[in-house]
Amino acid sequence: MDRKTRSGREKIMNDVEIRRVNVDDAEDILQIYGYYVRETAVSFEYDVPTVEEFRRRIARTLRRFPYFAAVQGDRIVGYAYAGPFIDRAAYKYSAEVTIYLAANERGRGIGRRLYGSLEEALEKLGIQNLYACIGYPEVEDEYLTMDSARFHERMGYVKCGEFHKCGYKFGRWYHMIWMEKLIGRHEDLVEG
């Protein structure tokens, strides 16, 4: 990247604030997510949730896990959050992570900053392992590329599982992969 391009990118990134989400952000966040439901196979949901349902989802997440938004000016341009990996006691040191950026905001480093904030918050909660569930095409098409897997790989995640033709959307079958990143030291823990 040349100096002029890097300087422009740094200025844009300095205009982006990472902050915690609250339920009042639901409508703005849903604007981003709705695109992925309607136009892509990134989300395997068929119908865009209502704002009320999205508020409930945010509130449920915030009870235990962090949820961050990337804000430029007064506009949310991306968000990332964590949730339970599997709802069993032995998995309490693991979390599933999710990230979405506004369609025109990809490739600017916003995702890296969001995940950085999320990982830092999860480490403080004692989370050791991160898992990302990603729609994955057999062949890239207009609805799904391998961009999410490539992004996670750049963030230090490795592919650890694949389910074949498990998601059906837009008249096509899609795979789903799991990627993981170990962020903890995995020392023996003293349970209280």
Side-chain angles (χ1 to χ4, degrees), residues 107-129:
R108 296 180 39 214
I110 296 169
R112 179 173 292 283
R113 286 190 55 203
L114 276 167
Y115 258 14
S117 295
L118 188 63
E119 285 181 20
E120 185 178 309
L122 289 167
E123 277 185 286
K124 288 178 183 172
L125 292 174
I127 298 297
Q128 306 280 308
N129 298 0

mmCIF file with all atom_site columns, all heavy atoms in Angstrom, residues 107-129:
data_model
loop_
_atom_site.group_PDB
_atom_site.id
_atom_site.type_symbol
_atom_site.label_atom_id
_atom_site.label_alt_id
_atom_site.label_comp_id
_atom_site.label_asym_id
_atom_site.label_entity_id
_atom_site.label_seq_id
_atom_site.pdbx_PDB_ins_code
_atom_site.Cartn_x
_atom_site.Cartn_y
_atom_site.Cartn_z
_atom_site.occupancy
_atom_site.B_iso_or_equiv
_atom_site.pdbx_formal_charge
_atom_site.auth_seq_id
_atom_site.auth_comp_id
_atom_site.auth_asym_id
_atom_site.auth_atom_id
_atom_site.pdbx_PDB_model_num
ATOM 1   N N   . GLY A 1 107 ? -13.252 -4.218  3.762  1.00 0.00 ? 107 GLY A N   1
ATOM 2   C CA  . GLY A 1 107 ? -11.911 -3.974  3.238  1.00 0.00 ? 107 GLY A CA  1
ATOM 3   C C   . GLY A 1 107 ? -11.252 -2.706  3.760  1.00 0.00 ? 107 GLY A C   1
ATOM 4   O O   . GLY A 1 107 ? -10.229 -2.281  3.228  1.00 0.00 ? 107 GLY A O   1
ATOM 5   N N   . ARG A 1 108 ? -11.800 -2.100  4.819  1.00 0.00 ? 108 ARG A N   1
ATOM 6   C CA  . ARG A 1 108 ? -11.242 -0.863  5.361  1.00 0.00 ? 108 ARG A CA  1
ATOM 7   C C   . ARG A 1 108 ? -10.595 -1.055  6.724  1.00 0.00 ? 108 ARG A C   1
ATOM 8   O O   . ARG A 1 108 ? -10.161 -0.101  7.336  1.00 0.00 ? 108 ARG A O   1
ATOM 9   C CB  . ARG A 1 108 ? -12.334 0.197   5.463  1.00 0.00 ? 108 ARG A CB  1
ATOM 10  C CG  . ARG A 1 108 ? -12.889 0.608   4.133  1.00 0.00 ? 108 ARG A CG  1
ATOM 11  C CD  . ARG A 1 108 ? -13.964 1.666   4.244  1.00 0.00 ? 108 ARG A CD  1
ATOM 12  N NE  . ARG A 1 108 ? -13.652 2.652   5.256  1.00 0.00 ? 108 ARG A NE  1
ATOM 13  C CZ  . ARG A 1 108 ? -14.566 3.256   6.010  1.00 0.00 ? 108 ARG A CZ  1
ATOM 14  N NH1 . ARG A 1 108 ? -15.841 2.969   5.853  1.00 0.00 ? 108 ARG A NH1 1
ATOM 15  N NH2 . ARG A 1 108 ? -14.218 4.147   6.915  1.00 0.00 ? 108 ARG A NH2 1
ATOM 16  N N   . GLY A 1 109 ? -10.576 -2.285  7.239  1.00 0.00 ? 109 GLY A N   1
ATOM 17  C CA  . GLY A 1 109 ? -9.978  -2.532  8.540  1.00 0.00 ? 109 GLY A CA  1
ATOM 18  C C   . GLY A 1 109 ? -10.957 -2.429  9.701  1.00 0.00 ? 109 GLY A C   1
ATOM 19  O O   . GLY A 1 109 ? -10.572 -2.596  10.861 1.00 0.00 ? 109 GLY A O   1
ATOM 20  N N   . ILE A 1 110 ? -12.226 -2.156  9.407  1.00 0.00 ? 110 ILE A N   1
ATOM 21  C CA  . ILE A 1 110 ? -13.232 -2.028  10.461 1.00 0.00 ? 110 ILE A CA  1
ATOM 22  C C   . ILE A 1 110 ? -13.458 -3.371  11.148 1.00 0.00 ? 110 ILE A C   1
ATOM 23  O O   . ILE A 1 110 ? -13.556 -3.446  12.376 1.00 0.00 ? 110 ILE A O   1
ATOM 24  C CB  . ILE A 1 110 ? -14.548 -1.446  9.900  1.00 0.00 ? 110 ILE A CB  1
ATOM 25  C CG1 . ILE A 1 110 ? -14.313 -0.027  9.381  1.00 0.00 ? 110 ILE A CG1 1
ATOM 26  C CG2 . ILE A 1 110 ? -15.652 -1.481  10.953 1.00 0.00 ? 110 ILE A CG2 1
ATOM 27  C CD1 . ILE A 1 110 ? -15.467 0.552   8.580  1.00 0.00 ? 110 ILE A CD1 1
ATOM 28  N N   . GLY A 1 111 ? -13.535 -4.432  10.372 1.00 0.00 ? 111 GLY A N   1
ATOM 29  C CA  . GLY A 1 111 ? -13.727 -5.764  10.941 1.00 0.00 ? 111 GLY A CA  1
ATOM 30  C C   . GLY A 1 111 ? -12.603 -6.157  11.878 1.00 0.00 ? 111 GLY A C   1
ATOM 31  O O   . GLY A 1 111 ? -12.843 -6.712  12.957 1.00 0.00 ? 111 GLY A O   1
ATOM 32  N N   . ARG A 1 112 ? -11.380 -5.831  11.516 1.00 0.00 ? 112 ARG A N   1
ATOM 33  C CA  . ARG A 1 112 ? -10.217 -6.130  12.363 1.00 0.00 ? 112 ARG A CA  1
ATOM 34  C C   . ARG A 1 112 ? -10.347 -5.394  13.700 1.00 0.00 ? 112 ARG A C   1
ATOM 35  O O   . ARG A 1 112 ? -10.103 -5.970  14.760 1.00 0.00 ? 112 ARG A O   1
ATOM 36  C CB  . ARG A 1 112 ? -8.936  -5.716  11.631 1.00 0.00 ? 112 ARG A CB  1
ATOM 37  C CG  . ARG A 1 112 ? -7.665  -5.957  12.411 1.00 0.00 ? 112 ARG A CG  1
ATOM 38  C CD  . ARG A 1 112 ? -6.437  -5.695  11.572 1.00 0.00 ? 112 ARG A CD  1
ATOM 39  N NE  . ARG A 1 112 ? -6.287  -6.671  10.510 1.00 0.00 ? 112 ARG A NE  1
ATOM 40  C CZ  . ARG A 1 112 ? -5.833  -7.910  10.670 1.00 0.00 ? 112 ARG A CZ  1
ATOM 41  N NH1 . ARG A 1 112 ? -5.482  -8.323  11.867 1.00 0.00 ? 112 ARG A NH1 1
ATOM 42  N NH2 . ARG A 1 112 ? -5.726  -8.727  9.651  1.00 0.00 ? 112 ARG A NH2 1
ATOM 43  N N   . ARG A 1 113 ? -10.762 -4.143  13.665 1.00 0.00 ? 113 ARG A N   1
ATOM 44  C CA  . ARG A 1 113 ? -10.909 -3.372  14.903 1.00 0.00 ? 113 ARG A CA  1
ATOM 45  C C   . ARG A 1 113 ? -12.053 -3.915  15.755 1.00 0.00 ? 113 ARG A C   1
ATOM 46  O O   . ARG A 1 113 ? -11.939 -4.000  16.978 1.00 0.00 ? 113 ARG A O   1
ATOM 47  C CB  . ARG A 1 113 ? -11.133 -1.899  14.592 1.00 0.00 ? 113 ARG A CB  1
ATOM 48  C CG  . ARG A 1 113 ? -9.846  -1.225  14.122 1.00 0.00 ? 113 ARG A CG  1
ATOM 49  C CD  . ARG A 1 113 ? -9.944  0.263   14.027 1.00 0.00 ? 113 ARG A CD  1
ATOM 50  N NE  . ARG A 1 113 ? -10.378 0.882   15.269 1.00 0.00 ? 113 ARG A NE  1
ATOM 51  C CZ  . ARG A 1 113 ? -10.957 2.078   15.310 1.00 0.00 ? 113 ARG A CZ  1
ATOM 52  N NH1 . ARG A 1 113 ? -11.181 2.748   14.195 1.00 0.00 ? 113 ARG A NH1 1
ATOM 53  N NH2 . ARG A 1 113 ? -11.331 2.600   16.456 1.00 0.00 ? 113 ARG A NH2 1
ATOM 54  N N   . LEU A 1 114 ? -13.174 -4.246  15.118 1.00 0.00 ? 114 LEU A N   1
ATOM 55  C CA  . LEU A 1 114 ? -14.298 -4.813  15.870 1.00 0.00 ? 114 LEU A CA  1
ATOM 56  C C   . LEU A 1 114 ? -13.897 -6.102  16.565 1.00 0.00 ? 114 LEU A C   1
ATOM 57  O O   . LEU A 1 114 ? -14.162 -6.284  17.761 1.00 0.00 ? 114 LEU A O   1
ATOM 58  C CB  . LEU A 1 114 ? -15.486 -5.070  14.938 1.00 0.00 ? 114 LEU A CB  1
ATOM 59  C CG  . LEU A 1 114 ? -16.396 -3.902  14.651 1.00 0.00 ? 114 LEU A CG  1
ATOM 60  C CD1 . LEU A 1 114 ? -17.318 -4.228  13.487 1.00 0.00 ? 114 LEU A CD1 1
ATOM 61  C CD2 . LEU A 1 114 ? -17.213 -3.528  15.888 1.00 0.00 ? 114 LEU A CD2 1
ATOM 62  N N   . TYR A 1 115 ? -13.266 -7.001  15.822 1.00 0.00 ? 115 TYR A N   1
ATOM 63  C CA  . TYR A 1 115 ? -12.867 -8.274  16.423 1.00 0.00 ? 115 TYR A CA  1
ATOM 64  C C   . TYR A 1 115 ? -11.803 -8.071  17.498 1.00 0.00 ? 115 TYR A C   1
ATOM 65  O O   . TYR A 1 115 ? -11.771 -8.795  18.487 1.00 0.00 ? 115 TYR A O   1
ATOM 66  C CB  . TYR A 1 115 ? -12.384 -9.240  15.346 1.00 0.00 ? 115 TYR A CB  1
ATOM 67  C CG  . TYR A 1 115 ? -13.403 -10.303 14.968 1.00 0.00 ? 115 TYR A CG  1
ATOM 68  C CD1 . TYR A 1 115 ? -14.735 -10.221 15.337 1.00 0.00 ? 115 TYR A CD1 1
ATOM 69  C CD2 . TYR A 1 115 ? -13.016 -11.406 14.236 1.00 0.00 ? 115 TYR A CD2 1
ATOM 70  C CE1 . TYR A 1 115 ? -15.657 -11.189 14.991 1.00 0.00 ? 115 TYR A CE1 1
ATOM 71  C CE2 . TYR A 1 115 ? -13.927 -12.392 13.867 1.00 0.00 ? 115 TYR A CE2 1
ATOM 72  C CZ  . TYR A 1 115 ? -15.237 -12.277 14.257 1.00 0.00 ? 115 TYR A CZ  1
ATOM 73  O OH  . TYR A 1 115 ? -16.145 -13.249 13.909 1.00 0.00 ? 115 TYR A OH  1
ATOM 74  N N   . GLY A 1 116 ? -10.936 -7.087  17.313 1.00 0.00 ? 116 GLY A N   1
ATOM 75  C CA  . GLY A 1 116 ? -9.932  -6.792  18.341 1.00 0.00 ? 116 GLY A CA  1
ATOM 76  C C   . GLY A 1 116 ? -10.597 -6.403  19.653 1.00 0.00 ? 116 GLY A C   1
ATOM 77  O O   . GLY A 1 116 ? -10.230 -6.889  20.731 1.00 0.00 ? 116 GLY A O   1
ATOM 78  N N   . SER A 1 117 ? -11.592 -5.520  19.570 1.00 0.00 ? 117 SER A N   1
ATOM 79  C CA  . SER A 1 117 ? -12.319 -5.109  20.780 1.00 0.00 ? 117 SER A CA  1
ATOM 80  C C   . SER A 1 117 ? -13.066 -6.285  21.389 1.00 0.00 ? 117 SER A C   1
ATOM 81  O O   . SER A 1 117 ? -13.091 -6.457  22.619 1.00 0.00 ? 117 SER A O   1
ATOM 82  C CB  . SER A 1 117 ? -13.308 -3.986  20.445 1.00 0.00 ? 117 SER A CB  1
ATOM 83  O OG  . SER A 1 117 ? -12.611 -2.835  20.034 1.00 0.00 ? 117 SER A OG  1
ATOM 84  N N   . LEU A 1 118 ? -13.682 -7.099  20.536 1.00 0.00 ? 118 LEU A N   1
ATOM 85  C CA  . LEU A 1 118 ? -14.438 -8.256  21.015 1.00 0.00 ? 118 LEU A CA  1
ATOM 86  C C   . LEU A 1 118 ? -13.515 -9.254  21.709 1.00 0.00 ? 118 LEU A C   1
ATOM 87  O O   . LEU A 1 118 ? -13.812 -9.730  22.812 1.00 0.00 ? 118 LEU A O   1
ATOM 88  C CB  . LEU A 1 118 ? -15.162 -8.915  19.839 1.00 0.00 ? 118 LEU A CB  1
ATOM 89  C CG  . LEU A 1 118 ? -16.154 -10.017 20.181 1.00 0.00 ? 118 LEU A CG  1
ATOM 90  C CD1 . LEU A 1 118 ? -17.301 -9.486  21.025 1.00 0.00 ? 118 LEU A CD1 1
ATOM 91  C CD2 . LEU A 1 118 ? -16.688 -10.653 18.895 1.00 0.00 ? 118 LEU A CD2 1
ATOM 92  N N   . GLU A 1 119 ? -12.380 -9.557  21.092 1.00 0.00 ? 119 GLU A N   1
ATOM 93  C CA  . GLU A 1 119 ? -11.444 -10.514 21.695 1.00 0.00 ? 119 GLU A CA  1
ATOM 94  C C   . GLU A 1 119 ? -10.926 -10.014 23.041 1.00 0.00 ? 119 GLU A C   1
ATOM 95  O O   . GLU A 1 119 ? -10.833 -10.786 24.001 1.00 0.00 ? 119 GLU A O   1
ATOM 96  C CB  . GLU A 1 119 ? -10.270 -10.781 20.751 1.00 0.00 ? 119 GLU A CB  1
ATOM 97  C CG  . GLU A 1 119 ? -10.635 -11.666 19.594 1.00 0.00 ? 119 GLU A CG  1
ATOM 98  C CD  . GLU A 1 119 ? -9.451  -11.943 18.667 1.00 0.00 ? 119 GLU A CD  1
ATOM 99  O OE1 . GLU A 1 119 ? -8.284  -11.776 19.100 1.00 0.00 ? 119 GLU A OE1 1
ATOM 100 O OE2 . GLU A 1 119 ? -9.708  -12.335 17.518 1.00 0.00 ? 119 GLU A OE2 1
ATOM 101 N N   . GLU A 1 120 ? -10.612 -8.733  23.125 1.00 0.00 ? 120 GLU A N   1
ATOM 102 C CA  . GLU A 1 120 ? -10.123 -8.166  24.380 1.00 0.00 ? 120 GLU A CA  1
ATOM 103 C C   . GLU A 1 120 ? -11.177 -8.310  25.483 1.00 0.00 ? 120 GLU A C   1
ATOM 104 O O   . GLU A 1 120 ? -10.864 -8.718  26.600 1.00 0.00 ? 120 GLU A O   1
ATOM 105 C CB  . GLU A 1 120 ? -9.785  -6.695  24.157 1.00 0.00 ? 120 GLU A CB  1
ATOM 106 C CG  . GLU A 1 120 ? -9.148  -6.012  25.338 1.00 0.00 ? 120 GLU A CG  1
ATOM 107 C CD  . GLU A 1 120 ? -8.797  -4.567  25.009 1.00 0.00 ? 120 GLU A CD  1
ATOM 108 O OE1 . GLU A 1 120 ? -8.148  -4.328  23.975 1.00 0.00 ? 120 GLU A OE1 1
ATOM 109 O OE2 . GLU A 1 120 ? -9.196  -3.688  25.802 1.00 0.00 ? 120 GLU A OE2 1
ATOM 110 N N   . ALA A 1 121 ? -12.418 -7.995  25.160 1.00 0.00 ? 121 ALA A N   1
ATOM 111 C CA  . ALA A 1 121 ? -13.498 -8.119  26.148 1.00 0.00 ? 121 ALA A CA  1
ATOM 112 C C   . ALA A 1 121 ? -13.722 -9.579  26.543 1.00 0.00 ? 121 ALA A C   1
ATOM 113 O O   . ALA A 1 121 ? -13.963 -9.878  27.726 1.00 0.00 ? 121 ALA A O   1
ATOM 114 C CB  . ALA A 1 121 ? -14.784 -7.517  25.588 1.00 0.00 ? 121 ALA A CB  1
ATOM 115 N N   . LEU A 1 122 ? -13.641 -10.491 25.585 1.00 0.00 ? 122 LEU A N   1
ATOM 116 C CA  . LEU A 1 122 ? -13.854 -11.906 25.881 1.00 0.00 ? 122 LEU A CA  1
ATOM 117 C C   . LEU A 1 122 ? -12.720 -12.467 26.741 1.00 0.00 ? 122 LEU A C   1
ATOM 118 O O   . LEU A 1 122 ? -12.967 -13.272 27.644 1.00 0.00 ? 122 LEU A O   1
ATOM 119 C CB  . LEU A 1 122 ? -14.007 -12.707 24.583 1.00 0.00 ? 122 LEU A CB  1
ATOM 120 C CG  . LEU A 1 122 ? -15.324 -12.447 23.843 1.00 0.00 ? 122 LEU A CG  1
ATOM 121 C CD1 . LEU A 1 122 ? -15.271 -13.024 22.437 1.00 0.00 ? 122 LEU A CD1 1
ATOM 122 C CD2 . LEU A 1 122 ? -16.507 -13.005 24.622 1.00 0.00 ? 122 LEU A CD2 1
ATOM 123 N N   . GLU A 1 123 ? -11.496 -12.041 26.481 1.00 0.00 ? 123 GLU A N   1
ATOM 124 C CA  . GLU A 1 123 ? -10.369 -12.477 27.319 1.00 0.00 ? 123 GLU A CA  1
ATOM 125 C C   . GLU A 1 123 ? -10.593 -12.066 28.772 1.00 0.00 ? 123 GLU A C   1
ATOM 126 O O   . GLU A 1 123 ? -10.336 -12.849 29.684 1.00 0.00 ? 123 GLU A O   1
ATOM 127 C CB  . GLU A 1 123 ? -9.059  -11.880 26.813 1.00 0.00 ? 123 GLU A CB  1
ATOM 128 C CG  . GLU A 1 123 ? -8.444  -12.658 25.663 1.00 0.00 ? 123 GLU A CG  1
ATOM 129 C CD  . GLU A 1 123 ? -7.088  -12.111 25.273 1.00 0.00 ? 123 GLU A CD  1
ATOM 130 O OE1 . GLU A 1 123 ? -7.047  -11.038 24.647 1.00 0.00 ? 123 GLU A OE1 1
ATOM 131 O OE2 . GLU A 1 123 ? -6.077  -12.770 25.604 1.00 0.00 ? 123 GLU A OE2 1
ATOM 132 N N   . LYS A 1 124 ? -11.089 -10.848 28.983 1.00 0.00 ? 124 LYS A N   1
ATOM 133 C CA  . LYS A 1 124 ? -11.359 -10.377 30.343 1.00 0.00 ? 124 LYS A CA  1
ATOM 134 C C   . LYS A 1 124 ? -12.433 -11.203 31.027 1.00 0.00 ? 124 LYS A C   1
ATOM 135 O O   . LYS A 1 124 ? -12.471 -11.294 32.248 1.00 0.00 ? 124 LYS A O   1
ATOM 136 C CB  . LYS A 1 124 ? -11.770 -8.906  30.315 1.00 0.00 ? 124 LYS A CB  1
ATOM 137 C CG  . LYS A 1 124 ? -10.615 -7.976  30.011 1.00 0.00 ? 124 LYS A CG  1
ATOM 138 C CD  . LYS A 1 124 ? -11.064 -6.541  29.935 1.00 0.00 ? 124 LYS A CD  1
ATOM 139 C CE  . LYS A 1 124 ? -9.887  -5.645  29.557 1.00 0.00 ? 124 LYS A CE  1
ATOM 140 N NZ  . LYS A 1 124 ? -10.319 -4.266  29.297 1.00 0.00 ? 124 LYS A NZ  1
ATOM 141 N N   . LEU A 1 125 ? -13.319 -11.821 30.234 1.00 0.00 ? 125 LEU A N   1
ATOM 142 C CA  . LEU A 1 125 ? -14.362 -12.693 30.788 1.00 0.00 ? 125 LEU A CA  1
ATOM 143 C C   . LEU A 1 125 ? -13.862 -14.122 31.022 1.00 0.00 ? 125 LEU A C   1
ATOM 144 O O   . LEU A 1 125 ? -14.617 -14.967 31.483 1.00 0.00 ? 125 LEU A O   1
ATOM 145 C CB  . LEU A 1 125 ? -15.566 -12.733 29.838 1.00 0.00 ? 125 LEU A CB  1
ATOM 146 C CG  . LEU A 1 125 ? -16.370 -11.450 29.709 1.00 0.00 ? 125 LEU A CG  1
ATOM 147 C CD1 . LEU A 1 125 ? -17.435 -11.595 28.615 1.00 0.00 ? 125 LEU A CD1 1
ATOM 148 C CD2 . LEU A 1 125 ? -17.010 -11.084 31.046 1.00 0.00 ? 125 LEU A CD2 1
ATOM 149 N N   . GLY A 1 126 ? -12.608 -14.383 30.654 1.00 0.00 ? 126 GLY A N   1
ATOM 150 C CA  . GLY A 1 126 ? -12.044 -15.718 30.842 1.00 0.00 ? 126 GLY A CA  1
ATOM 151 C C   . GLY A 1 126 ? -12.306 -16.671 29.690 1.00 0.00 ? 126 GLY A C   1
ATOM 152 O O   . GLY A 1 126 ? -12.058 -17.876 29.803 1.00 0.00 ? 126 GLY A O   1
ATOM 153 N N   . ILE A 1 127 ? -12.786 -16.150 28.587 1.00 0.00 ? 127 ILE A N   1
ATOM 154 C CA  . ILE A 1 127 ? -13.021 -17.004 27.412 1.00 0.00 ? 127 ILE A CA  1
ATOM 155 C C   . ILE A 1 127 ? -11.677 -17.443 26.849 1.00 0.00 ? 127 ILE A C   1
ATOM 156 O O   . ILE A 1 127 ? -10.757 -16.642 26.705 1.00 0.00 ? 127 ILE A O   1
ATOM 157 C CB  . ILE A 1 127 ? -13.862 -16.257 26.351 1.00 0.00 ? 127 ILE A CB  1
ATOM 158 C CG1 . ILE A 1 127 ? -15.245 -15.884 26.913 1.00 0.00 ? 127 ILE A CG1 1
ATOM 159 C CG2 . ILE A 1 127 ? -13.984 -17.083 25.071 1.00 0.00 ? 127 ILE A CG2 1
ATOM 160 C CD1 . ILE A 1 127 ? -16.125 -17.052 27.304 1.00 0.00 ? 127 ILE A CD1 1
ATOM 161 N N   . GLN A 1 128 ? -11.571 -18.720 26.509 1.00 0.00 ? 128 GLN A N   1
ATOM 162 C CA  . GLN A 1 128 ? -10.319 -19.301 26.019 1.00 0.00 ? 128 GLN A CA  1
ATOM 163 C C   . GLN A 1 128 ? -10.336 -19.590 24.511 1.00 0.00 ? 128 GLN A C   1
ATOM 164 O O   . GLN A 1 128 ? -9.311  -19.487 23.856 1.00 0.00 ? 128 GLN A O   1
ATOM 165 C CB  . GLN A 1 128 ? -10.056 -20.629 26.749 1.00 0.00 ? 128 GLN A CB  1
ATOM 166 C CG  . GLN A 1 128 ? -10.066 -20.521 28.258 1.00 0.00 ? 128 GLN A CG  1
ATOM 167 C CD  . GLN A 1 128 ? -8.774  -19.987 28.815 1.00 0.00 ? 128 GLN A CD  1
ATOM 168 O OE1 . GLN A 1 128 ? -7.705  -20.475 28.506 1.00 0.00 ? 128 GLN A OE1 1
ATOM 169 N NE2 . GLN A 1 128 ? -8.873  -18.959 29.639 1.00 0.00 ? 128 GLN A NE2 1
ATOM 170 N N   . ASN A 1 129 ? -11.501 -19.988 23.997 1.00 0.00 ? 129 ASN A N   1
ATOM 171 C CA  . ASN A 1 129 ? -11.620 -20.404 22.599 1.00 0.00 ? 129 ASN A CA  1
ATOM 172 C C   . ASN A 1 129 ? -12.720 -19.606 21.915 1.00 0.00 ? 129 ASN A C   1
ATOM 173 O O   . ASN A 1 129 ? -13.794 -19.419 22.481 1.00 0.00 ? 129 ASN A O   1
ATOM 174 C CB  . ASN A 1 129 ? -12.007 -21.884 22.485 1.00 0.00 ? 129 ASN A CB  1
ATOM 175 C CG  . ASN A 1 129 ? -10.988 -22.812 23.089 1.00 0.00 ? 129 ASN A CG  1
ATOM 176 O OD1 . ASN A 1 129 ? -9.970  -22.397 23.616 1.00 0.00 ? 129 ASN A OD1 1
ATOM 177 N ND2 . ASN A 1 129 ? -11.278 -24.090 23.013 1.00 0.00 ? 129 ASN A ND2 1
#
